[in-house]
Amino acid sequence: MSIAAEVVREYWAAANQRDWDTFGSLLAEDVLYEGPQTRERVRGKRNYIRFNVEGFPGPWSLDVIRVIGEGHRAASWIQFTNADGTAQQGLCFFDLDDGDKICRITDFWPEPYELPSSREHLVERY
Amino acid sequence: MSIAAEVVREYWAAANQRDWDTFGSLLAEDVLYEGPQTRERVRGKRNYIRFNVEGFPGPWSLDVIRVIGEGHRAASWIQFTNADGTAQQGLCFFDLDDGDKICRITDFWPEPYELPSSREHLVERY
């Protein structure tokens, strides 16, 4: 497994355990988080830990579906389960710096949508 | 670059050029495509090429933002630009078989959404 994939697996395990010390130890001081869907951005380790602790309270849990790492980059696919049992899949791209700390995170949360009628005849449903 | 990342770069280049012969040559006969957001599924190379040709007509184009490969797996992040100039980001996870053909594709298309007020004070906007 690449270093990047290992670090990202540790990152998600620490988040799931609310182990914010370990979580923080994996981040660069100048980590940059972006969510392109809302155009939200968080700069810096301290702000990013606060964003996770205060922005997502409650008894959520997450399962890692897949992590792929190559060199100093990784992508993850997780399932996030809310307190009410609803689940959402999250896709995340990571960059690590030369010290193997996570320095950039880009985060996507796709929602269900209606299948366009233009391709209904070309697919099965599951 | 891993084989998987190379194959995925060729896959997107062939799609962008509508070079369906090259595109097909990268796919396993029993390729399985899934879109979890609509719960749509396509089975087999022939159906999957038809899905791409007939399901997405018009002068779209795509740009590859990132491809990460590890072993027989890869993830890609692309930008898809529609005929009307609107753009959407696509995230895709790939599996290759032992012959380095793409045998599984899982495709996500996240849409913009409103920033929840619960984390407004924790982020910048860009």
Side-chain angles (χ1 to χ4, degrees), chain A residues 65-113:
Chain A
I65 298 175
R66 190 174 289 200
V67 176
I68 299 172
E70 185 170 27
H72 278 76
R73 291 179 156 182
S76 68
W77 170 7
I78 67 164
Q79 180 158 295
F80 185 91
T81 305
N82 292 296
D84 64 3
T86 57
Q88 197 178 359
Q89 297 186 52
L91 298 324
C92 222
F93 287 78
F94 296 87
D95 288 55
L96 273 63
D97 66 17
D98 291 341
D100 297 330
K101 302 294 183 190
I102 294 168
C103 59
R104 190 155 188 162
I105 303 165
T106 311
D107 199 20
F108 296 96
W109 295 93
E111 291 274 5
Y113 68 94

mmCIF file of all heavy atoms in Angstrom, chain A residues 65-113:
data_model
loop_
_atom_site.group_PDB
_atom_site.id
_atom_site.type_symbol
_atom_site.label_atom_id
_atom_site.label_comp_id
_atom_site.label_asym_id
_atom_site.label_seq_id
_atom_site.Cartn_x
_atom_site.Cartn_y
_atom_site.Cartn_z
ATOM 1 N N ILE A 65 -14.964 2.397 2.053
ATOM 2 C CA ILE A 65 -15.252 1.442 0.982
ATOM 3 C C ILE A 65 -13.978 1.178 0.174
ATOM 4 O O ILE A 65 -13.660 0.046 -0.148
ATOM 5 C CB ILE A 65 -16.393 1.967 0.072
ATOM 6 C CG1 ILE A 65 -17.666 2.115 0.905
ATOM 7 C CG2 ILE A 65 -16.607 1.052 -1.132
ATOM 8 C CD1 ILE A 65 -18.834 2.742 0.177
ATOM 9 N N ARG A 66 -13.237 2.244 -0.118
ATOM 10 C CA ARG A 66 -12.026 2.068 -0.914
ATOM 11 C C ARG A 66 -11.067 3.244 -0.717
ATOM 12 O O ARG A 66 -11.516 4.381 -0.599
ATOM 13 C CB ARG A 66 -12.428 1.972 -2.390
ATOM 14 C CG ARG A 66 -11.292 1.546 -3.286
ATOM 15 C CD ARG A 66 -11.749 1.321 -4.711
ATOM 16 N NE ARG A 66 -12.564 0.137 -4.862
ATOM 17 C CZ ARG A 66 -12.763 -0.479 -6.041
ATOM 18 N NH1 ARG A 66 -12.214 0.008 -7.138
ATOM 19 N NH2 ARG A 66 -13.519 -1.550 -6.120
ATOM 20 N N VAL A 67 -9.782 2.928 -0.687
ATOM 21 C CA VAL A 67 -8.746 3.968 -0.699
ATOM 22 C C VAL A 67 -7.729 3.570 -1.762
ATOM 23 O O VAL A 67 -7.296 2.414 -1.807
ATOM 24 C CB VAL A 67 -8.029 4.088 0.660
ATOM 25 C CG1 VAL A 67 -6.897 5.112 0.580
ATOM 26 C CG2 VAL A 67 -9.003 4.480 1.762
ATOM 27 N N ILE A 68 -7.370 4.512 -2.607
ATOM 28 C CA ILE A 68 -6.363 4.271 -3.646
ATOM 29 C C ILE A 68 -5.302 5.351 -3.484
ATOM 30 O O ILE A 68 -5.625 6.539 -3.440
ATOM 31 C CB ILE A 68 -6.992 4.377 -5.050
ATOM 32 C CG1 ILE A 68 -8.081 3.312 -5.202
ATOM 33 C CG2 ILE A 68 -5.934 4.214 -6.141
ATOM 34 C CD1 ILE A 68 -8.880 3.453 -6.468
ATOM 35 N N GLY A 69 -4.049 4.929 -3.383
ATOM 36 C CA GLY A 69 -2.972 5.898 -3.225
ATOM 37 C C GLY A 69 -1.904 5.696 -4.275
ATOM 38 O O GLY A 69 -1.635 4.564 -4.701
ATOM 39 N N GLU A 70 -1.312 6.783 -4.693
ATOM 40 C CA GLU A 70 -0.205 6.713 -5.660
ATOM 41 C C GLU A 70 0.704 7.895 -5.346
ATOM 42 O O GLU A 70 0.273 9.046 -5.443
ATOM 43 C CB GLU A 70 -0.754 6.801 -7.089
ATOM 44 C CG GLU A 70 0.323 6.620 -8.157
ATOM 45 C CD GLU A 70 -0.260 6.461 -9.574
ATOM 46 O OE1 GLU A 70 -1.364 6.967 -9.847
ATOM 47 O OE2 GLU A 70 0.436 5.857 -10.406
ATOM 48 N N GLY A 71 1.951 7.579 -4.946
ATOM 49 C CA GLY A 71 2.870 8.655 -4.588
ATOM 50 C C GLY A 71 2.301 9.461 -3.433
ATOM 51 O O GLY A 71 1.897 8.904 -2.411
ATOM 52 N N HIS A 72 2.222 10.765 -3.591
ATOM 53 C CA HIS A 72 1.720 11.647 -2.538
ATOM 54 C C HIS A 72 0.252 12.015 -2.716
ATOM 55 O O HIS A 72 -0.206 13.037 -2.189
ATOM 56 C CB HIS A 72 2.603 12.897 -2.439
ATOM 57 C CG HIS A 72 3.830 12.635 -1.618
ATOM 58 N ND1 HIS A 72 4.896 11.918 -2.098
ATOM 59 C CD2 HIS A 72 4.134 12.934 -0.329
ATOM 60 C CE1 HIS A 72 5.812 11.818 -1.151
ATOM 61 N NE2 HIS A 72 5.379 12.411 -0.075
ATOM 62 N N ARG A 73 -0.472 11.190 -3.466
ATOM 63 C CA ARG A 73 -1.884 11.477 -3.683
ATOM 64 C C ARG A 73 -2.731 10.253 -3.363
ATOM 65 O O ARG A 73 -2.282 9.123 -3.526
ATOM 66 C CB ARG A 73 -2.100 11.875 -5.144
ATOM 67 C CG ARG A 73 -1.464 13.219 -5.431
ATOM 68 C CD ARG A 73 -1.659 13.609 -6.880
ATOM 69 N NE ARG A 73 -1.571 15.051 -7.019
ATOM 70 C CZ ARG A 73 -1.733 15.690 -8.157
ATOM 71 N NH1 ARG A 73 -2.014 15.037 -9.266
ATOM 72 N NH2 ARG A 73 -1.645 17.011 -8.199
ATOM 73 N N ALA A 74 -3.935 10.499 -2.953
ATOM 74 C CA ALA A 74 -4.859 9.392 -2.689
ATOM 75 C C ALA A 74 -6.286 9.845 -2.969
ATOM 76 O O ALA A 74 -6.590 11.043 -2.997
ATOM 77 C CB ALA A 74 -4.728 8.910 -1.251
ATOM 78 N N ALA A 75 -7.140 8.854 -3.188
ATOM 79 C CA ALA A 75 -8.582 9.090 -3.306
ATOM 80 C C ALA A 75 -9.272 8.099 -2.376
ATOM 81 O O ALA A 75 -8.809 6.966 -2.223
ATOM 82 C CB ALA A 75 -9.048 8.863 -4.736
ATOM 83 N N SER A 76 -10.361 8.530 -1.754
ATOM 84 C CA SER A 76 -11.122 7.610 -0.917
ATOM 85 C C SER A 76 -12.595 7.672 -1.271
ATOM 86 O O SER A 76 -13.100 8.684 -1.766
ATOM 87 C CB SER A 76 -10.914 7.914 0.567
ATOM 88 O OG SER A 76 -11.483 9.146 0.928
ATOM 89 N N TRP A 77 -13.254 6.577 -0.987
ATOM 90 C CA TRP A 77 -14.692 6.425 -1.171
ATOM 91 C C TRP A 77 -15.190 5.861 0.155
ATOM 92 O O TRP A 77 -14.767 4.775 0.558
ATOM 93 C CB TRP A 77 -14.922 5.490 -2.335
ATOM 94 C CG TRP A 77 -16.298 4.989 -2.600
ATOM 95 C CD1 TRP A 77 -17.467 5.361 -2.007
ATOM 96 C CD2 TRP A 77 -16.641 3.993 -3.571
ATOM 97 N NE1 TRP A 77 -18.502 4.661 -2.544
ATOM 98 C CE2 TRP A 77 -18.031 3.815 -3.516
ATOM 99 C CE3 TRP A 77 -15.903 3.237 -4.487
ATOM 100 C CZ2 TRP A 77 -18.709 2.914 -4.330
ATOM 101 C CZ3 TRP A 77 -16.576 2.332 -5.296
ATOM 102 C CH2 TRP A 77 -17.961 2.175 -5.224
ATOM 103 N N ILE A 78 -16.004 6.634 0.840
ATOM 104 C CA ILE A 78 -16.499 6.189 2.152
ATOM 105 C C ILE A 78 -18.018 6.205 2.168
ATOM 106 O O ILE A 78 -18.652 6.813 1.297
ATOM 107 C CB ILE A 78 -15.980 7.077 3.316
ATOM 108 C CG1 ILE A 78 -16.557 8.507 3.232
ATOM 109 C CG2 ILE A 78 -14.464 7.103 3.365
ATOM 110 C CD1 ILE A 78 -16.398 9.302 4.520
ATOM 111 N N GLN A 79 -18.578 5.533 3.162
ATOM 112 C CA GLN A 79 -19.997 5.684 3.446
ATOM 113 C C GLN A 79 -20.140 6.287 4.829
ATOM 114 O O GLN A 79 -19.579 5.774 5.804
ATOM 115 C CB GLN A 79 -20.723 4.351 3.356
ATOM 116 C CG GLN A 79 -22.201 4.524 3.654
ATOM 117 C CD GLN A 79 -23.042 3.418 3.075
ATOM 118 O OE1 GLN A 79 -23.140 3.252 1.867
ATOM 119 N NE2 GLN A 79 -23.655 2.644 3.923
ATOM 120 N N PHE A 80 -20.889 7.379 4.875
ATOM 121 C CA PHE A 80 -21.105 8.142 6.101
ATOM 122 C C PHE A 80 -22.531 7.863 6.542
ATOM 123 O O PHE A 80 -23.470 8.032 5.754
ATOM 124 C CB PHE A 80 -20.912 9.623 5.760
ATOM 125 C CG PHE A 80 -20.969 10.572 6.923
ATOM 126 C CD1 PHE A 80 -19.806 10.913 7.607
ATOM 127 C CD2 PHE A 80 -22.161 11.167 7.308
ATOM 128 C CE1 PHE A 80 -19.833 11.820 8.658
ATOM 129 C CE2 PHE A 80 -22.205 12.071 8.369
ATOM 130 C CZ PHE A 80 -21.037 12.396 9.042
ATOM 131 N N THR A 81 -22.704 7.388 7.781
ATOM 132 C CA THR A 81 -24.043 7.077 8.283
ATOM 133 C C THR A 81 -24.412 8.079 9.370
ATOM 134 O O THR A 81 -23.699 8.216 10.367
ATOM 135 C CB THR A 81 -24.110 5.635 8.824
ATOM 136 O OG1 THR A 81 -23.680 4.753 7.784
ATOM 137 C CG2 THR A 81 -25.520 5.273 9.254
ATOM 138 N N ASN A 82 -25.496 8.806 9.147
ATOM 139 C CA ASN A 82 -25.962 9.817 10.091
ATOM 140 C C ASN A 82 -26.623 9.169 11.302
ATOM 141 O O ASN A 82 -26.954 7.973 11.282
ATOM 142 C CB ASN A 82 -26.963 10.735 9.382
ATOM 143 C CG ASN A 82 -26.282 11.561 8.322
ATOM 144 O OD1 ASN A 82 -25.433 12.389 8.617
ATOM 145 N ND2 ASN A 82 -26.618 11.303 7.056
ATOM 146 N N ALA A 83 -26.845 9.986 12.328
ATOM 147 C CA ALA A 83 -27.497 9.525 13.557
ATOM 148 C C ALA A 83 -28.846 8.873 13.254
ATOM 149 O O ALA A 83 -29.243 7.921 13.925
ATOM 150 C CB ALA A 83 -27.680 10.700 14.505
ATOM 151 N N ASP A 84 -29.554 9.371 12.242
ATOM 152 C CA ASP A 84 -30.888 8.838 11.921
ATOM 153 C C ASP A 84 -30.831 7.601 11.016
ATOM 154 O O ASP A 84 -31.865 7.123 10.562
ATOM 155 C CB ASP A 84 -31.752 9.933 11.281
ATOM 156 C CG ASP A 84 -31.194 10.398 9.939
ATOM 157 O OD1 ASP A 84 -30.170 9.826 9.471
ATOM 158 O OD2 ASP A 84 -31.772 11.324 9.336
ATOM 159 N N GLY A 85 -29.624 7.113 10.741
ATOM 160 C CA GLY A 85 -29.485 5.883 9.966
ATOM 161 C C GLY A 85 -29.370 6.099 8.469
ATOM 162 O O GLY A 85 -29.082 5.163 7.727
ATOM 163 N N THR A 86 -29.635 7.333 8.018
ATOM 164 C CA THR A 86 -29.473 7.607 6.585
ATOM 165 C C THR A 86 -27.978 7.605 6.251
ATOM 166 O O THR A 86 -27.143 7.989 7.078
ATOM 167 C CB THR A 86 -30.081 8.966 6.200
ATOM 168 O OG1 THR A 86 -29.463 9.984 6.995
ATOM 169 C CG2 THR A 86 -31.585 8.983 6.417
ATOM 170 N N ALA A 87 -27.674 7.148 5.053
ATOM 171 C CA ALA A 87 -26.270 7.010 4.658
ATOM 172 C C ALA A 87 -26.009 7.798 3.381
ATOM 173 O O ALA A 87 -26.905 7.985 2.544
ATOM 174 C CB ALA A 87 -25.930 5.553 4.449
ATOM 175 N N GLN A 88 -24.785 8.268 3.265
ATOM 176 C CA GLN A 88 -24.385 8.988 2.059
ATOM 177 C C GLN A 88 -22.961 8.592 1.717
ATOM 178 O O GLN A 88 -22.147 8.346 2.619
ATOM 179 C CB GLN A 88 -24.479 10.497 2.325
ATOM 180 C CG GLN A 88 -24.495 11.285 1.036
ATOM 181 C CD GLN A 88 -24.642 12.770 1.247
ATOM 182 O OE1 GLN A 88 -24.753 13.244 2.385
ATOM 183 N NE2 GLN A 88 -24.620 13.513 0.165
ATOM 184 N N GLN A 89 -22.674 8.522 0.424
ATOM 185 C CA GLN A 89 -21.325 8.168 0.025
ATOM 186 C C GLN A 89 -20.510 9.446 -0.207
ATOM 187 O O GLN A 89 -21.025 10.428 -0.745
ATOM 188 C CB GLN A 89 -21.378 7.268 -1.201
ATOM 189 C CG GLN A 89 -22.106 5.976 -0.808
ATOM 190 C CD GLN A 89 -22.118 4.907 -1.861
ATOM 191 O OE1 GLN A 89 -21.081 4.537 -2.391
ATOM 192 N NE2 GLN A 89 -23.299 4.412 -2.145
ATOM 193 N N GLY A 90 -19.278 9.421 0.254
ATOM 194 C CA GLY A 90 -18.379 10.566 0.134
ATOM 195 C C GLY A 90 -17.132 10.180 -0.636
ATOM 196 O O GLY A 90 -16.578 9.099 -0.427
ATOM 197 N N LEU A 91 -16.723 11.082 -1.524
ATOM 198 C CA LEU A 91 -15.511 10.874 -2.329
ATOM 199 C C LEU A 91 -14.555 11.999 -2.007
ATOM 200 O O LEU A 91 -14.960 13.162 -1.962
ATOM 201 C CB LEU A 91 -15.840 10.934 -3.825
ATOM 202 C CG LEU A 91 -16.796 9.915 -4.433
ATOM 203 C CD1 LEU A 91 -16.632 8.537 -3.790
ATOM 204 C CD2 LEU A 91 -18.238 10.355 -4.351
ATOM 205 N N CYS A 92 -13.310 11.637 -1.796
ATOM 206 C CA CYS A 92 -12.353 12.609 -1.291
ATOM 207 C C CYS A 92 -11.009 12.423 -1.987
ATOM 208 O O CYS A 92 -10.564 11.294 -2.159
ATOM 209 C CB CYS A 92 -12.207 12.339 0.202
ATOM 210 S SG CYS A 92 -12.164 13.772 1.203
ATOM 211 N N PHE A 93 -10.403 13.534 -2.375
ATOM 212 C CA PHE A 93 -9.066 13.496 -2.972
ATOM 213 C C PHE A 93 -8.101 14.192 -2.019
ATOM 214 O O PHE A 93 -8.422 15.248 -1.480
ATOM 215 C CB PHE A 93 -9.070 14.159 -4.355
ATOM 216 C CG PHE A 93 -9.745 13.298 -5.386
ATOM 217 C CD1 PHE A 93 -11.124 13.218 -5.458
ATOM 218 C CD2 PHE A 93 -8.994 12.525 -6.265
ATOM 219 C CE1 PHE A 93 -11.754 12.386 -6.393
ATOM 220 C CE2 PHE A 93 -9.599 11.699 -7.196
ATOM 221 C CZ PHE A 93 -10.981 11.630 -7.257
ATOM 222 N N PHE A 94 -6.948 13.572 -1.828
ATOM 223 C CA PHE A 94 -5.961 14.043 -0.854
ATOM 224 C C PHE A 94 -4.609 14.292 -1.520
ATOM 225 O O PHE A 94 -4.192 13.499 -2.374
ATOM 226 C CB PHE A 94 -5.717 12.969 0.220
ATOM 227 C CG PHE A 94 -6.907 12.648 1.070
ATOM 228 C CD1 PHE A 94 -7.833 11.690 0.663
ATOM 229 C CD2 PHE A 94 -7.100 13.295 2.276
ATOM 230 C CE1 PHE A 94 -8.932 11.390 1.461
ATOM 231 C CE2 PHE A 94 -8.196 12.991 3.080
ATOM 232 C CZ PHE A 94 -9.115 12.041 2.665
ATOM 233 N N ASP A 95 -3.915 15.312 -1.046
ATOM 234 C CA ASP A 95 -2.501 15.523 -1.367
ATOM 235 C C ASP A 95 -1.715 15.472 -0.075
ATOM 236 O O ASP A 95 -2.135 16.068 0.936
ATOM 237 C CB ASP A 95 -2.260 16.911 -1.967
ATOM 238 C CG ASP A 95 -2.800 17.037 -3.369
ATOM 239 O OD1 ASP A 95 -3.997 16.781 -3.563
ATOM 240 O OD2 ASP A 95 -2.026 17.410 -4.261
ATOM 241 N N LEU A 96 -0.559 14.822 -0.110
ATOM 242 C CA LEU A 96 0.358 14.825 1.037
ATOM 243 C C LEU A 96 1.564 15.690 0.708
ATOM 244 O O LEU A 96 1.973 15.782 -0.464
ATOM 245 C CB LEU A 96 0.823 13.397 1.352
ATOM 246 C CG LEU A 96 -0.078 12.588 2.288
ATOM 247 C CD1 LEU A 96 -1.467 12.356 1.704
ATOM 248 C CD2 LEU A 96 0.571 11.263 2.646
ATOM 249 N N ASP A 97 2.141 16.305 1.734
ATOM 250 C CA ASP A 97 3.357 17.102 1.517
ATOM 251 C C ASP A 97 4.595 16.200 1.638
ATOM 252 O O ASP A 97 4.471 14.980 1.817
ATOM 253 C CB ASP A 97 3.394 18.316 2.466
ATOM 254 C CG ASP A 97 3.520 17.934 3.929
ATOM 255 O OD1 ASP A 97 3.903 16.781 4.233
ATOM 256 O OD2 ASP A 97 3.258 18.795 4.783
ATOM 257 N N ASP A 98 5.772 16.802 1.574
ATOM 258 C CA ASP A 98 7.008 16.002 1.578
ATOM 259 C C ASP A 98 7.244 15.283 2.905
ATOM 260 O O ASP A 98 7.999 14.309 2.961
ATOM 261 C CB ASP A 98 8.222 16.892 1.248
ATOM 262 C CG ASP A 98 8.173 17.356 -0.197
ATOM 263 O OD1 ASP A 98 7.453 16.726 -1.001
ATOM 264 O OD2 ASP A 98 8.842 18.356 -0.518
ATOM 265 N N GLY A 99 6.579 15.758 3.955
ATOM 266 C CA GLY A 99 6.674 15.079 5.251
ATOM 267 C C GLY A 99 5.559 14.060 5.460
ATOM 268 O O GLY A 99 5.346 13.613 6.579
ATOM 269 N N ASP A 100 4.829 13.740 4.402
ATOM 270 C CA ASP A 100 3.721 12.766 4.434
ATOM 271 C C ASP A 100 2.542 13.224 5.287
ATOM 272 O O ASP A 100 1.771 12.397 5.788
ATOM 273 C CB ASP A 100 4.200 11.369 4.886
ATOM 274 C CG ASP A 100 5.200 10.765 3.916
ATOM 275 O OD1 ASP A 100 5.109 11.068 2.707
ATOM 276 O OD2 ASP A 100 6.090 10.020 4.359
ATOM 277 N N LYS A 101 2.392 14.549 5.422
ATOM 278 C CA LYS A 101 1.213 15.087 6.102
ATOM 279 C C LYS A 101 0.190 15.493 5.038
ATOM 280 O O LYS A 101 0.562 15.961 3.946
ATOM 281 C CB LYS A 101 1.584 16.328 6.934
ATOM 282 C CG LYS A 101 2.650 16.076 7.987
ATOM 283 C CD LYS A 101 2.181 15.149 9.076
ATOM 284 C CE LYS A 101 3.253 14.977 10.158
ATOM 285 N NZ LYS A 101 2.907 13.906 11.098
ATOM 286 N N ILE A 102 -1.075 15.355 5.385
ATOM 287 C CA ILE A 102 -2.143 15.734 4.449
ATOM 288 C C ILE A 102 -2.187 17.258 4.356
ATOM 289 O O ILE A 102 -2.374 17.946 5.365
ATOM 290 C CB ILE A 102 -3.502 15.188 4.929
ATOM 291 C CG1 ILE A 102 -3.497 13.655 4.888
ATOM 292 C CG2 ILE A 102 -4.634 15.759 4.085
ATOM 293 C CD1 ILE A 102 -4.689 13.014 5.607
ATOM 294 N N CYS A 103 -2.001 17.781 3.146
ATOM 295 C CA CYS A 103 -1.957 19.242 2.990
ATOM 296 C C CYS A 103 -3.113 19.766 2.147
ATOM 297 O O CYS A 103 -3.346 20.970 2.111
ATOM 298 C CB CYS A 103 -0.618 19.690 2.417
ATOM 299 S SG CYS A 103 -0.215 18.981 0.831
ATOM 300 N N ARG A 104 -3.829 18.872 1.493
ATOM 301 C CA ARG A 104 -4.965 19.330 0.690
ATOM 302 C C ARG A 104 -6.020 18.229 0.627
ATOM 303 O O ARG A 104 -5.690 17.063 0.402
ATOM 304 C CB ARG A 104 -4.495 19.703 -0.715
ATOM 305 C CG ARG A 104 -5.553 20.392 -1.493
ATOM 306 C CD ARG A 104 -5.002 21.276 -2.586
ATOM 307 N NE ARG A 104 -6.129 22.011 -3.129
ATOM 308 C CZ ARG A 104 -6.053 23.102 -3.837
ATOM 309 N NH1 ARG A 104 -4.881 23.615 -4.122
ATOM 310 N NH2 ARG A 104 -7.134 23.701 -4.294
ATOM 311 N N ILE A 105 -7.272 18.627 0.809
ATOM 312 C CA ILE A 105 -8.405 17.701 0.813
ATOM 313 C C ILE A 105 -9.503 18.316 -0.035
ATOM 314 O O ILE A 105 -9.881 19.466 0.180
ATOM 315 C CB ILE A 105 -8.935 17.500 2.258
ATOM 316 C CG1 ILE A 105 -7.828 16.985 3.188
ATOM 317 C CG2 ILE A 105 -10.136 16.556 2.276
ATOM 318 C CD1 ILE A 105 -8.174 17.102 4.680
ATOM 319 N N THR A 106 -9.999 17.564 -0.995
ATOM 320 C CA THR A 106 -11.145 18.026 -1.798
ATOM 321 C C THR A 106 -12.225 16.961 -1.673
ATOM 322 O O THR A 106 -11.991 15.787 -1.932
ATOM 323 C CB THR A 106 -10.753 18.222 -3.265
ATOM 324 O OG1 THR A 106 -9.562 18.994 -3.338
ATOM 325 C CG2 THR A 106 -11.856 18.954 -4.026
ATOM 326 N N ASP A 107 -13.400 17.412 -1.283
ATOM 327 C CA ASP A 107 -14.416 16.537 -0.726
ATOM 328 C C ASP A 107 -15.713 16.669 -1.522
ATOM 329 O O ASP A 107 -16.193 17.778 -1.764
ATOM 330 C CB ASP A 107 -14.631 17.062 0.713
ATOM 331 C CG ASP A 107 -15.280 16.094 1.637
ATOM 332 O OD1 ASP A 107 -15.253 14.898 1.356
ATOM 333 O OD2 ASP A 107 -15.814 16.554 2.666
ATOM 334 N N PHE A 108 -16.294 15.534 -1.934
ATOM 335 C CA PHE A 108 -17.534 15.534 -2.717
ATOM 336 C C PHE A 108 -18.568 14.615 -2.059
ATOM 337 O O PHE A 108 -18.228 13.508 -1.633
ATOM 338 C CB PHE A 108 -17.268 14.998 -4.128
ATOM 339 C CG PHE A 108 -16.331 15.830 -4.954
ATOM 340 C CD1 PHE A 108 -14.975 15.522 -5.019
ATOM 341 C CD2 PHE A 108 -16.796 16.909 -5.690
ATOM 342 C CE1 PHE A 108 -14.099 16.277 -5.798
ATOM 343 C CE2 PHE A 108 -15.932 17.668 -6.471
ATOM 344 C CZ PHE A 108 -14.582 17.353 -6.520
ATOM 345 N N TRP A 109 -19.815 15.080 -2.063
ATOM 346 C CA TRP A 109 -20.928 14.316 -1.474
ATOM 347 C C TRP A 109 -22.059 14.234 -2.489
ATOM 348 O O TRP A 109 -22.963 15.065 -2.483
ATOM 349 C CB TRP A 109 -21.388 14.983 -0.170
ATOM 350 C CG TRP A 109 -20.325 14.933 0.865
ATOM 351 C CD1 TRP A 109 -19.381 15.891 1.113
ATOM 352 C CD2 TRP A 109 -20.033 13.833 1.742
ATOM 353 N NE1 TRP A 109 -18.533 15.449 2.102
ATOM 354 C CE2 TRP A 109 -18.915 14.197 2.507
ATOM 355 C CE3 TRP A 109 -20.626 12.587 1.947
ATOM 356 C CZ2 TRP A 109 -18.359 13.343 3.471
ATOM 357 C CZ3 TRP A 109 -20.074 11.746 2.900
ATOM 358 C CH2 TRP A 109 -18.960 12.125 3.658
ATOM 359 N N PRO A 110 -22.026 13.223 -3.360
ATOM 360 C CA PRO A 110 -23.088 13.116 -4.377
ATOM 361 C C PRO A 110 -24.420 12.668 -3.775
ATOM 362 O O PRO A 110 -24.438 11.821 -2.881
ATOM 363 C CB PRO A 110 -22.558 12.058 -5.349
ATOM 364 C CG PRO A 110 -21.382 11.440 -4.713
ATOM 365 C CD PRO A 110 -21.003 12.192 -3.485
ATOM 366 N N GLU A 111 -25.494 13.231 -4.267
ATOM 367 C CA GLU A 111 -26.853 12.914 -3.800
ATOM 368 C C GLU A 111 -27.580 12.084 -4.867
ATOM 369 O O GLU A 111 -27.287 12.231 -6.053
ATOM 370 C CB GLU A 111 -27.652 14.221 -3.633
ATOM 371 C CG GLU A 111 -27.197 15.100 -2.506
ATOM 372 C CD GLU A 111 -27.828 14.718 -1.172
ATOM 373 O OE1 GLU A 111 -28.550 13.701 -1.119
ATOM 374 O OE2 GLU A 111 -27.580 15.440 -0.195
ATOM 375 N N PRO A 112 -28.556 11.281 -4.468
ATOM 376 C CA PRO A 112 -29.400 10.604 -5.459
ATOM 377 C C PRO A 112 -30.068 11.615 -6.400
ATOM 378 O O PRO A 112 -30.351 12.748 -5.984
ATOM 379 C CB PRO A 112 -30.466 9.908 -4.608
ATOM 380 C CG PRO A 112 -29.827 9.738 -3.273
ATOM 381 C CD PRO A 112 -28.955 10.961 -3.094
ATOM 382 N N TYR A 113 -30.286 11.235 -7.629
ATOM 383 C CA TYR A 113 -31.072 12.061 -8.565
ATOM 384 C C TYR A 113 -31.870 11.146 -9.486
ATOM 385 O O TYR A 113 -31.609 9.946 -9.560
ATOM 386 C CB TYR A 113 -30.178 13.049 -9.339
ATOM 387 C CG TYR A 113 -29.207 12.441 -10.330
ATOM 388 C CD1 TYR A 113 -29.545 12.297 -11.673
ATOM 389 C CD2 TYR A 113 -27.942 12.022 -9.934
ATOM 390 C CE1 TYR A 113 -28.655 11.744 -12.587
ATOM 391 C CE2 TYR A 113 -27.038 11.463 -10.834
ATOM 392 C CZ TYR A 113 -27.402 11.336 -12.159
ATOM 393 O OH TYR A 113 -26.527 10.785 -13.059
#
